[in-house]
Amino acid sequence: MKTITYQSTRGGESGVTASQAILKGIADDGGLFMPVEIPKLEQSMSELAKLSYQELAYEVMKLYLTDFTEEELKDCIRQAYDSKFDTEEIAPVVRVGSAYVLELFHGSTIAFKDMALSILPHLMTAAAKKNHVDHEIVILTATSGDTGKAALAGFADVPGTRIIVFYPKDGVSHIQQLQMVTQKGDNTAVVAIHGNFDDAQTGVKKIFADKEFEKKLDEGGFQLSSANSINIGRLIPQVVYYVHAYADLLARGDIEDGEKINFIVPTGNFGNILAGYFAKQMGVPIGKLICASNDNKVLYDFFTTGVYDKNREFVLTMSPSMDILVSSNLERLIYLSAGCDAKKTAKLMQELSETGRYTVTKEMQKRMKDFAAGYATEEQDAEVIRYLYKNRGYVMDPHTGVAAAVWKAHWAETGDRIKTVIVSTASPYKFSKDVLEAIQGPTMLTDDFAIAEELEQISCVPVPKAVTELKNAEIRHRTECDTADMEAVVAKILGIS
Ligand SMILES: *Cc1c(COP(=O)(O)O)cnc(C)c1O
């Protein structure tokens, strides 16, 4: 098999093995790791259609992670995609009216981040062994809610790892907070900081940049790593479900072999949809990848004008995981559409950090023609949630709602009748109140569990275990700190102060 190495989108590093890229997360020059080429699938879609999710995951991931042995990779896959998921299908495709919904929320935290974060810890520990890292790997994460819990669940009790998550004390929902502070696992720590998400993020970045602290960690037998969405160890497992969704529709006879389908993806950091682009480059017959934004429509503006401009008001919406003004994974598409020109990419990224904006050339825009874009307002989001419930009996979360609203508009405006898969990134039960109110109007209920039960009544989909088990779960994490003390708290948790 062909060896694939990784290089930085900004040109500072090349010849990096997959396992090294996973351990490092980000390149030394601040760039993102990219495979030197996107490999082609070795088997036809009709052959792949016979495989289970786990078998297919191996066929896709082995093409990228070429320094992992078959046994190592299969082991990682087996440990990740098991009974933590509430369905054997792992990522089922459900028919809803004239569209399909790819449900990526059947993992332990009922959101799509589980798809990658349930395997990343295993890839990391295998990578550490392979590179003779004998230190314990310490994952540090700042979270505005979803990522933190998914990372905690993924790393809990994985030997050779510790995970410390910082969240803004008053900046996450009650359910999100409960999810985190009740996290089990002897290697997990959760800390509420007195500040907002940006403060938490800045604090974590500071710890990563502190060379002296790194030395202290090293002496204590620890090494920092990050689980954020730019790690290729998160991107590559996400390619799998695009291939699987196509294979599944083919196996069911819903599409012909070779028939093109569209995917609509509710997008924030551009990781999920980029994985779809990789799948297309690998040979999956995909027509358009439609990028759906909420009111923070930086990406919609970018795809329609060629200008990326984050200088705008930040809007809080009911799809908080898409409230993002700098989509970090977009750098990889910029790099590809610049013809893998790292200099050009570095220059645009520098412009972004200095002025908050950049403009791509007409040529680059042309190379992005596989993408289309749309956005939905809060009203359109709520309206489509209500519409699909009333007319199709399907209840979706507000992130997925953004994609569904964009699909509805695309259907009406373009006459594009290509079969389309709406990528669903969260269970409606993760956002019960907004979903209930979209369907029924304002509710007097304030208790999250009562709201979930009410939603269960009308949706006839049982409240997932991930929510019900929170009700009586023991609170295990009570640490709080000021942002200035984050490093000291890490030292204390690791017992090296
Ligand atoms: C993270 C997340 C997204 C955005 O995914 P990206 O890969 O960052 O584009 C969308 N919906 C939900 C529920 C998420 O948790």
Side-chain angles (χ1 to χ4, degrees):
M1 200 167 22
K2 201 191 254 167
T3 300
I4 296 278
T5 60
Y6 291 78
Q7 56 201 24
S8 166
T9 48
R10 301 188 191 175
E13 263 183 282
S14 62
V16 179
T17 63
S19 64
Q20 287 163 349
I22 289 170
L23 283 174
K24 293 187 74 162
I26 190 163
D28 290 332
D29 60 1
L32 277 52
F33 287 116
M34 277 293 280
V36 284
E37 67 178 270
I38 296 179
K40 295 276 181 240
L41 289 167
E42 287 175 342
Q43 297 164 33
S44 68
M45 288 308 306
S46 52
E47 282 171 306
L48 293 171
K50 296 179 194 137
L51 306 182
S52 68
Y53 191 89
Q54 293 80 355
E55 290 165 339
L56 184 74
Y58 175 70
E59 292 304 320
V60 173
M61 291 175 61
K62 74 172 189 192
L63 302 173
Y64 290 95
L65 307 182
T66 54
D67 69 328
F68 286 68
T69 64
E70 176 170 352
E71 196 191 343
E72 285 167 340
L73 194 49
K74 284 190 170 165
D75 232 33
C76 291
I77 292 168
R78 191 174 43 74
Q79 294 182 78
Y81 304 113
D82 60 6
S83 58
K84 288 192 285 301
F85 285 76
D86 67 11
T87 163
E88 263 176 43
E89 293 174 87
I90 306 295
V93 180
V94 179
R95 177 107 201 217
V96 178
S98 44
Y100 295 88
V101 176
L102 168 58
E103 296 184 343
L104 301 179
F105 55 75
H106 290 275
S108 48
T109 77
I110 58 176
F112 112 94
K113 305 248 177 346
D114 291 329
M115 298 305 299
L117 280 167
S118 45
I119 192 165
L120 180 71
H122 304 290
L123 294 174
M124 253 186 198
T125 49
K129 263 195 211 126
K130 191 179 288 302
N131 289 279
H132 311 292
V133 174
D134 46 14
H135 284 13
E136 255 192 298
I137 295 174
V138 180
I139 301 293
L140 280 192
T141 304
T143 187
S144 53
D146 279 349
T147 306
K149 175 60 189 181
L152 283 164
F155 280 91
D157 288 328
V158 172
T161 71
R162 302 277 197 108
I163 175 159
I164 305 172
V165 169
F166 292 96
Y167 73 93
K169 185 165 185 265
D170 300 310
V172 300
S173 77
H174 176 58
I175 288 275
Q176 283 175 325
Q177 184 179 22
L178 268 183
Q179 278 190 310
M180 289 192 278
V181 298
T182 57
Q183 178 65 48
K184 294 186 183 135
D186 290 338
N187 64 338
T188 63
V190 177
V191 183
I193 65 141
H194 307 139
N196 61 25
F197 171 63
D198 273 339
D199 299 329
Q201 179 101 308
T202 308
V204 165
K205 279 190 184 152
K206 254 199 208 144
I207 299 175
F208 270 101
D210 186 340
K211 290 288 168 208
E212 223 160 277
F213 191 59
E214 188 181 327
K215 227 177 106 203
K216 199 163 139 186
L217 286 167
D218 184 54
E219 286 160 9
F222 298 106
Q223 172 179 329
L224 292 181
S225 194
S226 144
N228 67 22
S229 84
I230 56 176
N231 195 312
I232 59 130
R234 277 184 65 177
L235 184 63
I236 288 164
Q238 292 177 180
V239 179
V240 175
Y241 50 75
Y242 285 93
V243 185
H244 187 259
Y246 190 95
D248 189 27
L249 288 175
L250 185 60
R252 282 152 49 170
D254 283 17
I255 53 174
E256 308 272 330
D257 201 358
E259 182 178 343
K260 283 193 174 165
I261 62 171
N262 292 336
F263 284 93
I264 300 203
V265 189
T267 298
N269 248 328
F270 209 73
N272 194 354
I273 194 169
L274 186 74
Y277 187 60
F278 274 47
K280 181 174 164 103
Q281 304 293 314
M282 292 182 83
V284 180
I286 295 173
K288 290 261 186 257
L289 289 151
I290 303 167
C291 173
S293 300
N294 62 22
D295 279 322
N296 297 289
K297 58 185 184 60
V298 193
L299 287 167
Y300 168 78
D301 292 339
F302 171 68
F303 281 113
T304 46
T305 65
V307 181
Y308 193 97
D309 190 351
K310 70 156 191 159
N311 303 306
R312 59 180 74 208
E313 198 190 335
F314 178 78
V315 189
L316 288 172
T317 72
M318 60 177 168
S319 46
S321 299
M322 297 158 69
D323 291 344
I324 284 174
L325 293 181
V326 178
S327 297
S328 41
N329 270 294
L330 185 67
E331 180 168 345
R332 290 188 162 111
L333 180 65
I334 296 296
Y335 173 79
L336 286 174
S337 56
C340 301
D341 185 336
K343 254 202 193 125
K344 209 166 173 177
T345 311
K347 192 170 157 286
L348 291 174
M349 291 307 123
Q350 194 182 347
E351 269 179 55
L352 179 65
S353 85
E354 281 166 9
T355 68
R357 65 180 265 154
Y358 60 83
T359 306
V360 295
T361 62
K362 283 268 170 300
E363 183 67 30
M364 288 173 71
Q365 265 188 294
K366 238 192 252 160
R367 292 212 184 106
M368 296 183 213
K369 66 176 181 350
D370 291 334
F371 290 88
Y375 74 97
T377 62
E378 294 289 275
E379 292 74 39
Q380 289 168 328
D381 190 359
E383 191 186 293
V384 83
I385 292 172
R386 183 167 54 244
Y387 173 86
L388 289 173
Y389 169 67
K390 293 238 155 84
N391 295 286
R392 308 279 179 238
Y394 187 83
V395 176
M396 61 176 44
D397 100 289
H399 298 78
T400 314
V402 167
V406 168
W407 169 72
K408 248 183 115 193
H410 184 82
W411 174 275
E413 282 161 23
T414 62
D416 183 352
R417 292 295 175 264
I418 294 182
K419 293 191 179 108
T420 295
V421 177
I422 296 166
V423 176
S424 176
T425 51
S427 157
Y429 285 105
K430 194 137 196 178
F431 304 93
S432 300
K433 184 157 195 254
D434 287 324
V435 174
L436 188 67
E437 294 196 331
I439 292 173
Q440 289 196 329
T443 171
M444 303 295 282
L445 296 172
T446 52
D447 175 69
D448 292 304
F449 298 104
I451 291 169
E453 275 161 30
E454 176 86 6
L455 189 59
E456 180 174 49
Q457 293 275 316
I458 67 163
S459 73
C460 303
V461 176
V463 184
K465 209 175 79 215
V467 175
T468 52
E469 71 188 6
L470 286 178
K471 208 165 173 175
N472 301 309
E474 178 203 352
I475 294 182
R476 300 187 66 246
H477 306 276
R478 299 178 190 275
T479 311
E480 286 184 24
C481 80
D482 289 332
T483 41
D485 302 330
M486 286 168 64
E487 194 171 279
V489 167
V490 171
K492 190 161 169 238
I493 289 167
L494 298 176
I496 55 168
S497 46

